[in-house]
Amino acid sequence: MDFKERILTAINHEEPDRVPVMGLILDRATSDRVLGKKPADIGSMLSNPELRDEIKDYMNSSWNDMYYGSWADVLEAAIKLGFDANWTVYAFMQAVEDPESKLGLVLHDVFGRVWELGVDEDGNMMSSYVRGLCTTEEEWDAWVERKRPLYDKLIENVADYHKRLADNYGDRILPIGFAGSGVFENTWQPMGFVNFSKFVYQKPDFVEKVIDFQTDVYLKCLDAVMRSGVEVVLGGDDLSQKTGPFMHPELIERLFGDSYRRVSELVHKRNRKLIWHSCGNIYALLDKFVEWGFDGILTMEPTAGMDLGKVREQVGHKLVLVGNLDVSYLLVRGTQEEVEAAVKKAIRDAAKGGGYILSAAHSHRLVDPTRLKWMIEAAHKYGKYTS
Amino acid sequence: MSGEILEQLKARLLDLDMDGAVELAELVAGGDVRIADAVNAISEGLEVVGQRFQRGEWFLTELVYAGEIARETMDLLSPLMETASSGPLGTVVVGTVAGDLHDLGKDIFINYARSAGFKLIDLGVDVPAEGFVSAVKEHHPLALGMSCLLTTTDSEIGKVIEGLKRQNVRDKVKVIIGGAALTEQFAENAGADAFAPDAVTGTDIIRGWGAS
């Protein structure tokens, strides 16, 4: 079997030749180490105001090429490591000066989120959501009106980006196309979580208006990913944190249930499969994922108390499971014996009858390529289906 | 009558009825009910909120909104309290460690602990070790809270604790940590006083320190 047959067989809950292995976002530092690349010293450059302006202009004029280049490296690294499939992500952002931010520059995305920039110890730029720009209904309405032309551009970019990756790498690895952050995150993050919590009770019509808007854009992005030739799509919303869901599962159902059902229906209408990513402790949402029509789930963070065997016990073969080797210790500093033992356990817990893809639980800068390689080799060694 | 208003105030908080709770707080502010009794009723309500969260009956949206209701009502009542009893339960300095730009967990803790009566000093995200140490020296807080989502930055917590020791202030402040990357065991190894898996537990732990 080749990588594609292997993944698609597993996703159909049949046993392939061996357990497939999927790469996640692969942090820039990890892909650099695999490819032997050295990062530019972005931190020093951004501390020079003239260079900062140049960097900003470059980022804004060459965003798509820059983003593509970064993910082309991720796929090259994933192929070199031996993954059968890898997550691919597109985001549409603009660099904006912000004297209050540490580096003097932040990113604004089309949905009204601010992403703070930082530089890791290797010199790579990193970004993280910090706040929203639409803290009132009036600000939200004005933002959407102002950015309206960009939503069509976003959808066009999503299609081009995923097609380019699929065309250039699809013969060596299966790209699992991500449609961008999901409707839950796209709803609460532009207003901030405290405001969102207030609006849920005080202005439910406003919240529903935002959800409707985001669902519409999300479905178009998802369709664009599928038009690019991607055969398995990845959706994602961090619906949980370390101890459980952000919201009562029934409130999630009331506000977002229809949106998630529409997402699954669209994917199935296009004869594709939908894997869903959520961080955190998701036990309370597993039945909802099945109800909403998701085909599989990815992550199941051990540090949030998720256990692969327990998840399989709870959902049986109603969901494909993708995960969940620990990235707090195992894939950072674990010994080869420990990595092998964890792979054997994961296979024992979840792989019987297919429906299982081995992966790390998450990704970050210290995930070690050697440990990833051990993980893949262990899957080859211990993941053969004999029946 | 007074007892009925206090019960109603607590009930409106637990019904997540912002308008009803604010209306009752205004009634208290302009009437004969003792302000301190109304503040106690809100505190009792928040304790029930915390218990519901810890039992898994309520989630972060309810926790955050209840915190907002408590804050709005306290904003009306606190200025009317007698000076001797109007101070916060204690000061807590909070921030996300260097290299980590996440602030959601930190902000939820701040929202809840502030509504529970603590004075919060928010240092923001990506705070270098010396930033935490200077803030402890400047504000003399009851507790220092550090948030850390990423495994890549958990070593920062040890650096801060070492910095507190070098500046001879480690024994003057309790250190509490929380975040996706952390565990009870990590807190013990790093020399922190406590690990909080959520905002309610964190606030309860600090309340306990304040009481002792």
Side-chain angles (χ1 to χ4, degrees):
Chain A
M1 274 185 180
D2 68 6
F3 58 88
K4 187 172 157 184
E5 278 177 280
R6 188 170 300 122
I7 292 278
L8 295 178
T9 304
I11 281 180
N12 283 317
H13 294 277
E14 291 165 20
E15 294 185 349
D17 57 343
R18 58 174 158 79
V19 169
V21 196
M22 177 177 161
L24 306 186
I25 292 182
L26 275 200
D27 191 271
R28 180 85 222 178
T30 308
S31 67
D32 275 354
R33 285 203 292 280
V34 174
L35 301 175
K37 287 191 169 184
K38 293 248 181 295
D41 186 2
I42 299 283
S44 304
M45 287 195 274
L46 283 174
S47 60
N48 176 334
E50 280 178 26
L51 281 176
R52 187 190 303 149
D53 276 350
E54 278 184 40
I55 291 172
K56 186 189 79 175
D57 293 343
Y58 173 74
M59 285 172 82
N60 290 337
S61 62
S62 312
W63 179 264
N64 284 342
D65 285 338
M66 197 181 72
Y67 213 85
Y68 173 83
S70 175
W71 276 88
D73 279 355
V74 165
L75 288 189
E76 284 290 359
I79 291 164
K80 199 165 171 187
L81 285 168
F83 284 111
D84 294 298
N86 207 90
W87 182 336
T88 55
V89 182
Y90 175 76
F92 192 21
M93 301 192 190
Q94 189 181 27
V96 175
E97 273 180 53
D98 182 345
E100 289 190 9
S101 74
K102 205 166 182 180
L103 296 178
L105 210 59
V106 294
L107 298 174
H108 287 184
D109 72 19
V110 287
F111 298 111
R113 276 179 284 234
V114 179
W115 299 74
E116 180 85 32
L117 291 172
V119 177
D120 70 20
E121 283 175 19
D122 299 316
N124 288 300
M125 194 186 285
M126 53 184 190
S127 65
S128 185
Y129 160 78
V130 282
R131 64 181 181 278
L133 293 163
C134 308
T135 56
T136 65
E137 184 168 5
E138 293 70 28
E139 282 177 356
W140 163 258
D141 288 341
W143 177 270
V144 168
E145 200 47 45
R146 211 162 53 244
K147 300 292 171 185
R148 199 167 290 283
L150 288 183
Y151 297 110
D152 287 339
K153 188 73 192 152
L154 165 71
I155 292 149
E156 195 184 307
N157 288 351
V158 166
D160 290 349
Y161 167 86
H162 284 285
K163 180 161 189 342
R164 213 167 146 195
L165 284 177
D167 287 351
N168 292 336
Y169 294 94
D171 59 340
R172 290 183 286 157
I173 194 164
L174 190 73
I176 310 282
F178 186 56
S181 47
V183 176
F184 173 64
E185 287 179 26
N186 284 354
T187 298
W188 80 256
Q189 290 181 340
M191 49 184 94
F193 196 76
V194 172
N195 285 319
F196 170 73
S197 301
K198 283 200 295 197
F199 292 146
V200 164
Y201 297 99
Q202 294 180 340
K203 300 188 85 172
D205 292 350
F206 169 49
V207 172
E208 281 171 26
K209 178 171 78 175
V210 178
I211 292 171
D212 286 348
F213 174 86
Q214 296 293 6
T215 302
D216 183 54
V217 176
Y218 188 80
L219 289 171
K220 287 175 181 163
C221 284
L222 195 58
D223 215 17
V225 174
M226 292 188 283
R227 277 203 309 277
S228 70
V230 166
E231 297 196 42
V232 180
V233 287
L234 188 66
D237 255 335
D238 285 339
L239 288 161
S240 287
Q241 39 82 40
K242 198 177 177 79
T243 58
F246 281 101
M247 303 169 77
H248 195 293
E250 287 313 317
L251 185 56
I252 298 179
E253 170 64 56
R254 183 157 63 77
L255 291 173
F256 297 94
D258 281 349
S259 171
Y260 291 140
R261 281 189 191 87
R262 289 175 65 193
V263 167
S264 298
E265 278 165 18
L266 176 67
V267 173
H268 296 153
K269 203 167 132 190
R270 301 275 184 270
N271 294 317
R272 303 292 208 284
K273 296 284 185 181
L274 176 69
I275 307 291
W276 199 261
H277 158 81
S278 173
C279 286
N281 186 311
I282 55 170
Y283 283 118
L285 294 171
L286 290 174
D287 294 342
K288 288 282 167 206
F289 293 159
V290 174
E291 256 180 78
W292 294 332
F294 299 166
D295 298 298
I297 52 170
L298 181 157
T299 293
M300 295 166 283
E301 282 185 286
T303 47
M306 297 305 298
D307 178 273
L308 201 57
K310 281 188 191 160
V311 176
R312 179 59 91 209
E313 206 178 302
Q314 189 173 331
V315 301
H317 276 270
K318 290 176 188 159
L319 292 172
V320 174
L321 306 184
V322 187
N324 71 339
L325 261 56
D326 168 67
V327 292
S328 66
Y329 164 76
L330 187 73
L331 294 175
V332 177
R333 296 188 301 272
T335 63
Q336 187 162 7
E337 290 71 29
E338 286 170 325
V339 172
E340 285 193 0
V343 169
K344 281 199 259 186
K345 181 176 185 319
I347 290 171
R348 202 168 51 239
D349 285 346
K352 194 176 175 197
Y356 176 61
I357 299 171
L358 177 73
S359 81
H362 221 294
S363 54
H364 59 71
R365 180 173 82 73
L366 297 183
V367 170
D368 177 39
T370 304
R371 268 90 187 162
L372 288 176
K373 190 85 187 147
W374 290 344
M375 173 181 85
I376 294 164
E377 286 168 357
H380 293 181
K381 195 169 164 186
Y382 303 108
K384 291 191 180 72
Y385 285 97
T386 48
S387 58
Chain B
M1 181 64 182
S2 157
E4 195 182 315
I5 291 176
L6 295 174
E7 278 306 310
Q8 284 289 320
L9 183 58
K10 188 172 154 186
R12 293 290 77 79
L13 172 69
L14 294 173
D15 290 343
L16 297 175
D17 175 1
M18 172 76 88
D19 292 345
V22 168
E23 210 171 283
L24 282 162
E26 283 168 349
L27 191 66
V28 168
D32 297 332
V33 179
R34 271 178 21 109
I35 304 291
D37 291 342
V39 169
N40 281 341
I42 295 165
S43 298
E44 284 171 21
L46 272 180
E47 274 180 41
V48 177
V49 169
Q51 288 159 7
R52 288 180 182 178
F53 178 80
Q54 288 179 319
R55 285 200 299 264
E57 296 163 11
W58 274 17
F59 293 78
L60 285 178
T61 39
E62 287 99 342
L63 185 72
V64 167
Y65 191 49
E68 285 296 291
I69 295 172
R71 189 182 56 74
E72 293 260 347
T73 50
M74 292 294 276
D75 281 353
L76 285 167
L77 300 174
S78 296
L80 305 174
M81 285 181 75
E82 300 82 10
T83 318
S85 56
S86 66
L89 295 177
T91 299
V92 184
V93 167
V94 183
T96 303
V97 298
D100 192 336
L101 303 171
H102 297 84
D103 62 1
L104 179 59
K106 168 181 74 64
D107 288 352
I108 287 171
F109 170 74
I110 287 172
N111 169 284
Y112 186 75
R114 186 174 280 150
S115 62
F118 289 94
K119 179 183 175 190
L120 270 293
I121 310 279
D122 181 7
L123 303 180
V125 297
D126 195 12
V127 181
E130 55 274 23
F132 283 109
V133 176
S134 313
V136 167
K137 288 171 76 180
E138 185 187 339
H139 299 287
H140 310 290
L142 164 65
L144 168 66
M146 286 182 275
S147 170
C148 174
L149 185 90
L150 307 168
T151 307
T152 50
T153 55
D154 59 14
S155 58
E156 286 297 318
I157 287 165
K159 285 185 199 166
V160 175
I161 291 172
E162 281 310 306
L164 292 172
K165 284 180 186 164
R166 272 199 306 276
Q167 296 289 320
N168 298 314
V169 287
R170 176 63 187 95
D171 58 349
K172 295 184 171 55
V173 65
K174 293 284 192 182
V175 176
I176 184 164
I177 62 173
L182 309 178
T183 60
E184 192 92 49
Q185 186 62 51
F186 180 92
E188 200 179 318
N189 294 344
D193 296 298
F195 162 74
D198 57 65
V200 175
T201 309
T203 304
D204 284 349
I205 291 170
I206 295 172
R207 193 183 282 120
W209 288 339
S212 61

